[in-house]
Amino acid sequence: MKQIASLFLLPDCNASCAFCAAERGFSTMSFAQAERLLDELARGTIRNVVLGGGEPFLWPHDVLRLAAHAHQRGLLVQVCTNGLVLPKDFAETPFVDRYILPLESADPAIHDRLRGAGAGHHAWMLDRLALLTQARRSFTLSTVVTARNVAGIADLARLVDGLAQSGAPLHAWHLYRFLPVGRGGA
């Protein structure tokens, strides 16, 4: 059985997704806490970690330094991000084995409305995916299915299939349906 640990490093995020289910009521993890937790996980049966949040690139203790620590412990490292503040050379970072990025719709207007990150986020995501593909870096796509995007899921599936057919190193496409609670739950 594949076991994956997800570390929620901080509650803060720079997007305001309509469907966000993340809690705000937890404190930001210190680097020492995260380092100890990864060490403990690596001594056990966990071999795959997801560094997330909130938005992990807002974590004040350097998520890439933590990714390097996890990688040195033999862990496969994934970073789940909204993609807004990725470092310039993110696709070349050797300690991140896979990025998990959002893609809510093939229709840019629907995606941008759901993500709450402003107009152009859809185009930004496609650009980030192109950079990962060019660098032959694995990625997972994440879609939250809502009343606003469900009618377009077949179109999104065609877009995702087109990426895979064109040689993109797509690891998986995760579709989620969240209960309407949390930040944007009403």
Side-chain angles (χ1 to χ4, degrees):
M1 173 172 42
K2 190 174 196 176
Q3 295 181 350
I4 300 171
S6 293
L7 280 66
F8 294 89
L9 300 172
L10 75 165
D12 303 327
C13 186
N14 54 345
S16 55
C17 303
F19 49 75
C20 184
E23 294 293 329
R24 288 184 188 252
F26 67 95
S27 59
T28 298
M29 194 178 294
S30 71
F31 190 87
Q33 289 170 319
E35 190 176 45
R36 282 191 307 270
L37 180 56
L38 288 171
D39 290 345
E40 184 66 30
L41 293 170
R43 282 191 291 275
T45 61
I46 300 294
R47 293 291 164 258
N48 190 327
V49 296
V50 177
L51 304 178
E55 171 52 48
F57 283 98
L58 296 178
W59 191 52
H61 309 296
D62 191 354
V63 71
L64 294 180
R65 186 173 141 224
L66 185 63
H69 178 84
H71 208 262
Q72 291 166 356
R73 300 302 177 275
L75 298 167
L76 185 135
V77 180
Q78 300 182 80
V79 177
C80 184
T81 174
N82 64 32
L84 288 171
V85 289
L86 287 169
K88 197 170 224 172
D89 60 348
F90 80 100
E92 307 299 328
T93 304
F95 325 116
V96 177
D97 297 295
R98 182 176 303 125
Y99 286 93
I100 302 169
L101 294 167
L103 195 57
E104 308 307 338
S105 178
D107 180 327
I110 292 173
H111 170 93
D112 290 350
R113 193 172 326 119
L114 286 170
R115 274 282 140 188
H121 188 262
H122 185 270
W124 183 253
M125 284 301 91
L126 294 181
D127 182 63
R128 305 301 90 185
L129 297 176
L131 290 171
L132 288 168
T133 298
Q134 182 179 350
R136 302 302 308 150
R137 300 300 302 271
S138 180
F139 61 85
T140 293
L141 293 175
S142 174
T143 301
V144 177
V145 180
T146 72
R148 290 184 182 164
N149 68 352
V150 69
I153 291 297
D155 291 335
L156 183 54
R158 283 187 283 281
L159 188 151
V160 171
D161 186 54
L163 289 169
Q165 294 300 322
S166 69
L170 175 65
H171 170 256
W173 178 29
H174 296 168
L175 292 102
Y176 300 96
R177 180 173 176 228
F178 292 142
L179 296 176
V181 297
R183 292 181 186 168

